Amino acid sequence: MSRQHKQIHLAAHFPGVNNTTVWTVPPAGPTTTPGRCASRNPALGSQIDFASFEHLARTAERGLFDFFFLAEGLRLREHNGRIHDLDVVGRPESITVLNALAAVTERLGLAATVNATFNEPYELARRLASLDHLSGGRAAWNVVTSSDAFTGENFRRGGFLDRADRYTRAAEFVATARELWDSWPPDAPPRPFAHTGRHFTIDGEFGVERSPQGHPVVIQAGDSDEGREFAASAADIIFTRHGSLEAGRAFYADVKRRLARYGRAPEELKIMPGVTLVLGDTAADAQEKAAEIRLQQVSPQTALLTLEQIWGVDLSGYDPDGPLPDIDPDPDAQLTQGRVRHGDPLAVAAKWRALSEEKGLSIRQTVIEASGRQSFIGTPEAVAAQLAEFVAADAADGFILVPHLTPGGLDDFVERVVPLLQERGVFRTAYTGTTLRDHLGLPYPGERG
């Protein structure tokens, strides 16, 4: 008997208001409903118009994806005292959008990013349980946190948390939500609940009967050590990022190893990195397209803005086609508000300088080279082989695809790559269950031994 291939899980991320999305080409153009006021940049209208969400979700469902994933922003980002250009369209509330998508999809999971720092367990547990009912068991919650006082200013209590407290609140938040969902048993009236903890003290009766999944699927986004531990203890999926097969295997082994201390089996947590891809008729064609996309993603203005986020100072006087600044970053700068500065600015600047000097790169070329690139580039056959290799080698359980176009960025993948994955025997040819837990092969609450 031949060995069964490890199956690939796929999800679709709706492109966000960031420079990984290409706004300047016709396929990213508006799908604005007649009579609706469009953004000053017509392409940005696709970020708020329901037709865009519907197109991408229907495409993902046609491709038999596990779920559709929405990010969230709770405050418009600012740079040098001005609202970030790509935020001018705003960001709709994710559960509201997914409730609407539940009516135009049948099997596709619906994942909402909701912040555990600026919400309360009862109210959010009720909204998620309602989405699970309306969708027939397809709801998921991507748990994120914030220690950002800038974002906290949008909320009554000003409510940001010290970094050390954000995961403790998130862990208690998830545990409390699960207590609420469990307080209404299957085929029985609700039981009163009472929770007393460091962050929440609540009691009463939950207002929504037990939903089809019992608990909506919980996703955790994070690569830090504390994020990995939180995912191992409380999540069903971890949304991560890594660029190489070796890095993926190391991350996968580390996170899966942590599960045992919480009495969990390796298959109870799916590891799904966010990835991008470029398809071409030949390898050279794909590489040429990828280079063109990166040039569109990193304009001269974007290159300087990216550098300013690291250096923390105004660099508008520098030539994006010239060398990197010879000044050191300001680690305590607040030039950019609402965006996380990843890593030690001094260390990042040193790394970028070394790269620039080694390859003779300008500011723009350095940003293109260092700030990320397409994860999988090639013909449909080559990309299908690479995706299958990552999963077979235990570098991932699947992938969250982040297209660079809205709303048609998944069309080619579904038409050209999905059939090849199916031919390889590594991806489903039909949905076999009705809920997101069915798609992912996750246990239902109460099934764990």
Side-chain angles (χ1 to χ4, degrees):
M1 182 180 294
S2 61
R3 178 178 177 271
Q4 185 177 5
H5 295 293
K6 184 178 176 184
Q7 296 296 291
I8 295 174
H9 294 284
L10 292 176
H13 186 288
F14 188 80
V17 283
N18 52 55
N19 69 286
T20 59
T21 309
V22 175
W23 304 105
T24 56
V25 295
T31 56
T32 305
T33 302
R36 179 171 297 171
C37 184
S39 161
R40 65 175 183 175
N41 179 343
L44 288 176
S46 62
Q47 278 293 303
I48 194 70
D49 193 85
F50 182 69
S52 290
F53 295 108
E54 182 179 7
H55 180 99
L56 198 72
R58 285 185 181 272
T59 303
E61 186 164 72
R62 187 172 75 251
L64 304 175
F65 281 38
D66 290 347
F67 61 92
F68 176 87
F69 180 80
L70 285 177
E72 182 174 70
L74 294 179
R75 180 164 180 177
L76 301 182
R77 297 166 295 178
E78 294 181 8
H79 183 76
N80 206 13
R82 299 178 59 192
I83 293 175
H84 192 284
D85 282 349
L86 293 178
D87 274 10
V88 294
V89 71
R91 298 189 184 187
E93 196 277 322
S94 56
I95 294 181
T96 303
V97 174
L98 296 178
N99 280 327
L101 288 176
V104 297
T105 56
E106 296 180 355
R107 299 291 185 90
L108 184 70
L110 303 168
T113 300
V114 186
N115 197 297
T117 306
F118 302 114
N119 285 279
E120 296 296 323
Y122 181 89
E123 186 265 347
L124 181 55
R126 188 167 64 102
R127 289 163 60 204
L128 288 166
S130 299
L131 174 60
D132 208 44
H133 276 290
L134 290 172
S135 64
R138 297 185 281 138
W141 170 26
N142 178 40
V143 184
V144 294
T145 65
S146 177
S147 57
D148 185 353
F150 175 76
T151 301
E153 290 173 357
N154 266 1
F155 294 84
R156 177 177 56 81
R157 53 190 170 85
F160 78 101
L161 292 174
D162 289 338
R163 185 179 181 88
D165 291 333
R166 61 179 182 164
Y167 277 110
T168 60
R169 177 184 167 96
E172 187 178 341
F173 197 124
V174 173
T176 305
R178 285 177 168 151
E179 290 175 28
L180 295 170
W181 293 324
D182 284 339
S183 71
W184 198 311
D187 303 317
R191 300 187 301 256
F193 67 82
H195 174 91
T196 301
R198 177 182 174 189
H199 294 278
F200 309 108
T201 299
I202 58 175
D203 62 83
E205 291 182 351
F206 193 51
V208 182
E209 67 178 290
R210 193 168 186 84
S211 68
Q213 293 188 112
H215 299 172
V217 169
V218 172
I219 306 169
Q220 153 66 13
D223 289 332
S224 67
D225 185 73
E226 57 191 353
R228 297 182 192 199
E229 198 67 25
F230 177 47
S233 68
D236 300 302
I237 301 169
I238 184 166
F239 176 32
T240 180
R241 58 181 180 178
H242 46 255
S244 68
L245 183 69
E246 295 74 18
R249 293 187 69 184
F251 182 91
Y252 189 99
D254 176 63
V255 173
K256 296 280 188 174
R257 191 182 303 119
R258 298 174 189 239
L259 292 166
R261 74 185 68 169
Y262 301 102
R264 304 180 68 194
E267 62 271 17
E268 292 183 35
L269 175 65
K270 307 302 180 186
I271 296 176
M272 300 181 67
V275 300
T276 56
L277 54 94
V278 179
L279 301 177
D281 294 331
T282 65
D285 178 42
Q287 290 292 343
E288 183 178 345
K289 287 182 178 178
E292 291 174 357
I293 290 167
R294 288 302 288 148
L295 280 174
Q296 291 174 307
Q297 290 171 325
V298 184
S299 66
Q301 296 86 350
T302 296
L304 287 178
L305 184 146
T306 303
L307 212 65
E308 288 176 342
Q309 290 167 359
I310 296 169
W311 259 256
V313 296
D314 185 343
L315 300 175
S316 58
Y318 283 78
D319 180 1
D321 294 319
L324 266 66
D326 55 5
I327 59 174
D328 288 331
D330 178 0
D332 301 318
Q334 296 295 320
L335 188 70
T336 299
Q337 299 269 44
R339 185 188 289 270
V340 177
R341 297 177 77 184
H342 295 286
D344 175 9
L346 293 171
V348 173
K351 181 179 178 180
W352 284 26
R353 279 201 187 104
L355 175 65
S356 175
E357 292 171 2
E358 176 189 353
K359 298 189 175 184
L361 304 178
S362 68
I363 288 175
R364 187 182 183 193
Q365 291 169 332
T366 301
V367 172
I368 289 174
E369 182 79 12
S371 65
R373 61 186 70 186
Q374 289 77 16
S375 307
F376 297 102
I377 304 170
T379 63
E381 294 79 6
V383 168
Q386 292 169 15
L387 295 174
E389 179 188 11
F390 266 66
V391 172
D394 287 340
D397 291 310
F399 307 93
I400 297 177
L401 303 188
V402 186
H404 68 275
L405 293 178
T406 304
L410 284 181
D411 294 358
D412 278 355
F413 181 88
V414 168
E415 293 168 8
R416 304 179 69 188
V417 178
V418 166
L420 298 174
L421 296 174
Q422 292 168 333
E423 288 176 10
R424 287 173 168 269
V426 298
F427 190 65
R428 65 172 65 94
T429 57
Y431 288 115
T432 57
T434 60
T435 72
L436 180 53
R437 288 186 178 275
D438 292 337
H439 304 341
L440 292 164
L442 292 171
Y444 283 72
E447 289 184 349
R448 293 186 176 96

